Amino acid sequence: MAVDNRKADATEESLHRIFTVPEAPDSTLGRIEKEISENLNAFLQTHIAATEKPLVDIEKDFSSADIPETPSFVSDHTHFLLDKLVAQSVHTSAPSFIGHMTSALPYFLMPLSKIMIGLNQNLVKIETSKAFTPLERQVLGMLHNLIYHESEDFYQQWMHSANHSLGAFCSGGTIANITALWVARNQALRPDGDFRGVAQEGLFKAMKHYGYDDLAVLVSERGHYSLKKAADVLGIGRDSLIAIKTDDNNRIDLQALSRTLADLKSRNIKPFAIIGVAGTTETGNIDPLEQMADIAQAHDCHFHVDAAWGGATLMSDKYRSLLRGIERADSVTIDAHKQLYVPMGAGMVIFKNPALMTAIEHHAEYILRKGSKDLGSHTLEGSRSGMAMLLFASMNIISRPGYEMLINNSIEKAKHFAALIEAHPDFELISEPELCLLTYRYVPAATQKALTLASAEEKKALLNALNDLTKFIQKRQRESGKSFVSRTRLNPVKWDRKLTTVFRVVLANPLTTETILEDVLTEQQALAKESSISLPTIQSLTDRILKREQISYS
């Protein structure tokens, strides 16, 4: 066997070579690119959620904190990445990976992403992005039109206006939500007389000028954790993000919202934003947006809708009405990396009024000059890639009717899975799907009967053991690698609002079949029997309760 004695060196010639486009079609880089493509294709065609290898073993391959003193050949390092990184990655596009938002992507995005990477445009500034800037402005206009349906004249006037913006492309829903609340805070504490506004003089002077004792943002208890980050970053404090209780369907309780607003007013606290959730992260439920818009208007609050999950539903004529009232929002968050099927790192915040983003406008002499069309003057993030190009391509290639089919299928698949769960004697549906999310858990049929007959103490013990069993099944299923569902904790009314561990499923992947969903339940039922602690405890309690009740009825 021949021994490869090659040695890579850091020379000016070798560095120049790796920055130069290879001319020969059969160049080393060309062969490497072909090998990577073939390897990725093989990986993506393997329909398992993950290979079974402990994380602690994977960490051994990434344990050195030293920057190498000698370079590697591209071919050698490529093989390392294929063996140690790709092979041990989570197969998020697998049809049986139904636990999170990540899903199979349209295959055309892989070759098209080479345009984005190869051109390496920086969307902070026209000088570093040129055509990518009007493209991104058009994408924001298309999403604005999807939400608000303004006239053609409106978009011709505002879409490419140097002094206005219809929104911002962000790395995700977190930055989108922070941006929306940043605008809302600066609008509430805007310049007034000699006061130059919170953006210029800060929160302390703003509060003194306006005479408020505190500020508040209101959202349901199912609001996304990014909103706490926003409250922290904006200086109002996490305690000022006030969680309003939800009803039996995980939607905000409007009466509780009104009572809280009245209480804040009595304590001289200014609620500057109310947030409606269009697709809660845990259950996919949608707040009553129309009524919330009325309340926000009556209390002079910025009305923001976090539609990171549900926003894509607007593509569907059949289900668009689920988001009725969203068109009255002052701002809306939508994540394209959820059900608009583009790679991770693509969120947007859209503003109804093109002038709203002037509240956070910023400039610099060497960049983002006044009067320029630079996107960075209205964004929290500075340097950004041209991710909008991939969404632009998807909306053109898939089209709205194509997205409608994807959305409709995902919602109807969730309804089908919910029906499977309800028909199965050993499973309990926890939350009915509105969108493509639902929650459920494994509860043996006999235990379901025992729960109706148990004393308060027995019920508590059974529910605790069921929580442990749910966690056991979910972890064991993840480790097996055949399929994957996530888990969360909810407070179902049925179980007296007790914190309950449940399976959480997201059915966005168009490749997920009804047979796969049946197999997921079958696997979970089998895994439950492997529990050596939780299941025996449940069975013992169940037998005792049922035996006692049978005796008392005899």
Side-chain angles (χ1 to χ4, degrees):
M1 179 178 175
V3 178
D4 190 348
N5 292 317
R6 297 178 307 158
K7 182 176 179 295
D9 293 309
T11 64
E12 286 194 21
E13 181 184 359
S14 65
L15 290 174
H16 185 270
R17 190 163 56 248
I18 64 173
F19 281 93
T20 305
V21 178
E23 295 181 5
D26 60 345
S27 66
T28 300
L29 282 177
R31 292 196 301 273
I32 289 170
E33 187 174 12
K34 184 172 183 288
E35 183 179 359
I36 291 172
S37 295
E38 290 172 350
N39 186 286
L40 280 174
N41 288 346
F43 177 83
L44 294 173
Q45 288 167 357
T46 305
H47 289 172
I48 58 171
T51 56
E52 190 174 356
K53 185 175 182 180
L55 185 61
V56 67
D57 291 342
I58 297 173
E59 287 170 348
K60 293 174 184 176
D61 296 319
F62 303 94
S63 59
S64 175
D66 296 325
I67 298 174
E69 288 296 326
T70 56
S72 299
F73 286 109
V74 176
S75 55
D76 292 342
H77 190 65
T78 298
H79 286 140
F80 173 85
L81 293 176
L82 293 177
D83 293 342
K84 306 298 185 182
L85 186 70
V86 173
Q88 301 304 325
S89 293
V90 176
H91 194 346
T92 58
S93 62
S96 58
F97 186 90
I98 56 173
H100 288 303
M101 62 183 170
T102 38
S103 164
L105 295 173
Y107 191 75
F108 61 75
L109 289 173
M110 289 181 69
L112 287 183
S113 65
K114 292 175 66 175
I115 296 174
M116 186 182 75
I117 295 168
L119 293 177
N120 194 29
Q121 305 289 283
N122 185 350
L123 273 290
V124 71
K125 173 83 178 146
I126 285 279
E127 291 173 353
T128 56
S129 60
K130 206 170 181 180
F132 272 65
T133 291
L135 178 147
E136 186 169 298
R137 284 181 172 270
Q138 183 185 359
V139 168
L140 293 170
M142 293 161 86
L143 269 295
H144 191 286
N145 193 13
L146 181 69
I147 299 165
Y148 297 112
H149 283 316
E150 298 287 358
S151 66
E152 177 64 24
D153 289 343
F154 174 93
Y155 295 104
Q156 291 304 312
Q157 180 178 0
W158 301 115
M159 199 157 61
H160 296 289
S161 169
N163 299 314
H164 303 82
S165 180
L166 296 179
F169 215 94
C170 312
S171 58
T174 294
I175 299 298
N177 282 336
I178 289 174
T179 302
L181 293 180
W182 183 19
V183 167
R185 186 203 66 173
N186 286 13
Q187 281 287 329
L189 305 175
R190 55 186 170 271
D192 177 52
D194 294 334
F195 174 62
R196 292 174 296 155
V198 65
Q200 196 67 33
E201 298 195 36
L203 199 54
F204 180 73
K205 291 181 179 177
M207 298 288 279
K208 283 185 67 178
H209 175 81
Y210 280 99
Y212 301 135
D213 287 334
D214 207 347
L215 300 174
V217 174
L218 290 80
V219 67
S220 91
E221 58 188 349
R222 292 277 164 255
H224 191 257
Y225 67 85
S226 65
L227 299 169
K228 286 189 177 181
K229 293 184 184 180
D232 189 347
V233 169
L234 294 173
I236 66 171
R238 297 180 189 182
D239 288 349
S240 291
L241 180 74
I242 300 175
I244 308 298
K245 74 173 186 177
T246 51
D247 62 18
D248 296 356
N249 294 308
N250 297 293
R251 304 181 188 115
I252 196 168
D253 184 319
L254 294 174
Q255 290 185 338
L257 174 62
S258 295
R259 286 196 301 269
T260 303
L261 285 164
D263 176 63
L264 292 172
K265 184 177 181 181
S266 71
R267 293 189 286 136
N268 195 34
I269 297 173
K270 169 62 177 175
F272 67 90
I274 294 174
I275 301 171
V277 184
T280 59
T281 306
E282 293 168 307
T283 62
N285 292 108
I286 301 165
D287 282 337
L289 303 179
E290 192 80 67
Q291 294 95 316
M292 292 185 76
D294 290 337
I295 293 170
Q297 185 175 354
H299 290 267
D300 190 28
C301 292
H302 181 104
F303 182 39
H304 175 63
V305 173
D306 183 357
W309 269 109
T313 310
L314 295 170
M315 292 281 193
S316 168
D317 288 340
K318 182 176 182 180
Y319 291 109
R320 180 186 173 93
S321 60
L322 291 173
L323 274 66
R324 184 179 291 110
I326 195 172
E327 70 283 353
R328 295 179 60 191
D330 296 298
S331 56
V332 176
T333 287
I334 294 180
D335 274 353
H337 53 237
K338 292 190 172 75
Q339 280 199 278
L340 291 176
Y341 299 94
V342 299
M344 291 301 302
M348 288 163 286
V349 58
I350 310 296
F351 289 89
K352 185 172 188 176
N353 182 346
L356 272 180
M357 290 196 80
T358 58
I360 60 169
E361 193 170 271
H362 42 280
H363 301 283
E365 285 304 316
Y366 80 103
I367 198 172
L368 314 179
R369 300 180 189 94
K370 288 187 177 182
S372 75
K373 294 188 176 182
D374 299 340
L375 294 168
S377 62
H378 295 106
T379 59
L380 177 59
E381 295 166 294
S383 298
R384 292 183 296 106
S385 68
M387 276 294 295
M389 187 208 81
L390 298 184
L391 179 55
F392 181 76
S394 295
M395 289 195 293
N396 276 276
I397 294 170
I398 296 174
S399 77
R400 191 208 57 79
Y403 274 119
E404 176 168 26
M405 283 188 278
L406 290 169
I407 299 299
N408 292 358
N409 288 341
S410 69
I411 292 175
E412 283 148 22
K413 199 176 296 178
K415 290 179 178 178
H416 172 79
F417 193 37
L420 278 181
I421 292 164
E422 289 194 300
H424 198 296
D426 292 332
F427 285 89
E428 176 188 26
L429 186 68
I430 300 297
S431 61
E432 291 273 359
E434 275 189 274
L435 301 176
C436 64
L437 287 80
L438 59 91
T439 61
Y440 67 102
R441 64 176 181 165
Y442 173 78
V443 186
T447 304
Q448 292 183 43
K449 176 66 175 174
L451 280 165
T452 65
L453 303 169
S455 67
E457 200 62 34
E458 289 169 333
K459 183 185 289 187
K460 180 180 178 182
L462 272 176
L463 293 176
N464 285 337
L466 285 167
N467 284 347
D468 291 340
L469 181 61
T470 303
K471 185 187 291 188
F472 172 86
I473 296 170
Q474 193 269 341
K475 289 178 72 174
R476 191 60 66 92
Q477 192 166 27
R478 181 188 68 202
E479 290 163 1
S480 74
K482 294 177 185 177
S483 57
F484 172 76
V485 303
S486 59
R487 72 174 190 265
T488 189
R489 296 196 297 173
L490 300 174
N491 307 91
V493 173
K494 179 178 180 181
W495 301 119
D496 305 318
R497 297 279 186 179
K498 177 179 170 56
L499 206 56
T500 303
T501 303
V502 298
F503 301 125
R504 172 180 171 272
V505 163
V506 183
L507 294 173
N509 192 331
L511 304 179
T512 302
T513 64
E514 293 180 359
T515 300
I516 287 172
L517 297 178
E518 292 168 5
D519 291 343
V520 166
L521 295 182
T522 300
E523 185 184 15
Q524 288 176 335
Q525 195 174 23
L527 289 172
K529 294 179 173 62
E530 296 179 12
S531 169
S532 60
I533 300 175
S534 304
L535 187 62
T537 300
I538 292 166
Q539 290 173 332
S540 175
L541 274 167
T542 297
D543 290 344
R544 189 200 318 162
I545 294 167
L546 294 182
K547 185 177 180 181
R548 182 191 69 215
E549 293 302 318
Q550 287 169 358
I551 292 171
S552 66
Y553 288 138
S554 60

